[in-house]
C-alpha cells in the first residue's frame, strides 16, 4: 500500500512539472521557435542593406537634382549677363555713331561756311550774276571800312560785310583808299570790281 502511494505521488509531481513547463512555454511564445526568431532576425538584418542602398540612391538623386538646378541657374545667369553685355555694346556703338555723325555734320557745316567765307575773300563773288540792277550808294566822309561794308550789305550789293571788310583791308592801303561820294553800282559786280569803283575818283557822280 505504501509503494502504491509513493508511485501516485511521484506521478502527480511529474504531471505538475509538465503543466508548469507548458504554462511557461505558453506564457513565453518567443521560446517556442528560437529558430524562427533567428530567421526573422536574419531577414531584418538582410533587409537593412537594401534600405541603406535605397537611402543612398535617394541621396544621389537629390544631389543630382541639386546639381542640375545649379547648372540651370548658372546657365540663366550667364544668359542674362550675355544679354546685358550685348545691349551695352549696342548702346555704346549707337552713341559712338551718333557722336561721330554729329561731329561730321558740324565739321562739314562749318567747313562749308568756312570755304564760302574764304572764297568770298579771295574769289570772284557777286550777289546776282548777270544782273543789270543799278544801285546808288553814297559813302560819307571819314567813313570806316566797317561802315562802308555794312552800307553795302544793307544795299544788298555784297553777301557778307565781314568778308568784304577783310577783302578791302587786304587790298586797300594808303595809296588805294575808299573815296567818299555817290556811286552807281550793279548787283552783278564782284568784290574786286566794287573796290575798284570806290577807290577811283573818276567814278564819283
Amino acid at each position: 500500500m505504501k509503494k502504491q502511494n509513493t508511485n501516485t505521488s511521484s506521478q502527480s509531481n511529474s504531471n505538475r512539472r509538465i503543466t508548469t513547463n507548458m504554462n511557461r512555454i505558453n506564457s513565453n511564445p518567443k521560446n517556442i521557435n528560437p529558430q524562427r526568431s533567428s530567421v526573422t532576425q536574419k531577414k531584418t538584418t538582410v533587409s537593412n542593406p537594401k534600405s541603406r542602398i535605397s537611402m543612398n540612391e535617394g541621396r544621389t538623386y537629390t544631389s543630382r537634382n541639386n546639381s542640375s538646378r545649379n547648372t540651370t541657374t548658372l546657365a540663366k545667369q550667364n544668359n542674362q549677363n550675355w544679354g546685358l553685355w550685348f545691349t551695352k555694346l549696342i548702346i555704346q556703338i549707337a552713341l559712338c555713331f551718333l557722336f561721330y555723325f554729329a561731329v561730321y555734320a558740324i565739321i562739314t557745316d562749318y567747313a562749308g561756311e568756312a570755304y564760302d567765307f574764304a572764297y568770298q575773300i579771295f574769289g570772284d563773288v557777286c550777289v546776282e550774276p548777270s544782273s543789270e540792277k543799278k544801285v546808288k550808294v553814297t559813302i560819307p566822309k571819314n567813313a570806316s571800312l566797317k561802315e562802308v561794308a555794312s552800307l553795302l550789305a544793307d544795299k544788298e550789293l555784297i553777301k557778307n560785310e565781314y568778308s568784304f571788310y577783310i577783302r578791302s583791308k587786304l587790298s586797300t592801303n594808303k595809296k588805294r583808299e575808299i573815296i567818299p561820294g555817290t556811286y552807281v553800282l550793279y548787283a552783278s559786280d564782284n568784290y574786286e570790281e566794287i573796290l575798284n569803283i570806290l577807290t577811283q575818283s573818276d567814278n564819283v557822280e
Side-chain angles (χ1 to χ4, degrees), residues 51-184:
S51 63
R52 289 177 183 175
I53 292 166
S54 63
M55 289 293 288
N56 291 323
E57 288 179 353
R59 289 176 183 174
T60 54
Y61 180 73
T62 54
S63 64
R64 287 177 184 174
N65 286 328
N66 291 324
S67 63
S68 64
R69 288 176 183 174
N70 291 324
T71 53
T72 52
T73 53
L74 289 171
K76 287 179 181 179
Q77 289 177 357
N78 290 324
N79 289 326
Q80 289 177 356
N81 292 326
W82 185 82
L84 290 172
W85 177 81
F86 186 71
T87 52
K88 287 180 180 178
L89 181 64
I90 290 171
I91 290 167
Q92 288 177 356
I93 291 169
L95 290 173
C96 289
F97 179 76
L98 290 173
F99 175 75
Y100 287 114
F101 181 76
V103 170
Y104 175 77
I106 291 167
I107 289 170
T108 52
D109 190 12
Y110 280 104
E113 291 181 357
Y115 175 78
D116 292 336
F117 189 78
Y119 186 75
Q120 290 172 8
I121 295 169
F122 301 103
D124 295 331
V125 180
C126 61
V127 177
E128 295 179 5
S130 65
S131 177
E132 295 181 357
K133 181 181 178 181
K134 292 181 181 182
V135 178
K136 282 187 177 183
V137 178
T138 301
I139 295 171
K141 292 181 180 180
N142 300 322
S144 64
L145 290 174
K146 287 183 180 179
E147 291 175 351
V148 173
S150 63
L151 180 63
L152 295 174
D154 291 336
K155 297 288 185 177
E156 295 181 354
L157 292 170
I158 58 175
K159 287 187 174 181
N160 191 345
E161 58 179 316
Y162 298 104
S163 61
F164 183 82
Y165 170 78
I166 294 169
R167 177 71 176 263
S168 61
K169 196 78 175 175
L170 292 172
S171 61
T172 58
N173 50 29
K174 290 182 179 180
K175 294 181 179 180
R176 189 184 182 190
E177 293 179 351
I178 294 174
I179 300 168
T182 301
Y183 300 90
V184 177

Side-chain angles (χ1 to χ4, degrees), residues 30 33-46:
K30 292 181 180 178
N33 291 321
Q35 292 180 354
R36 288 183 180 178
S37 64
S38 63
V39 170
T40 54
Q41 288 177 359
K42 287 181 181 178
K43 286 182 180 179
T44 54
T45 54
V46 170

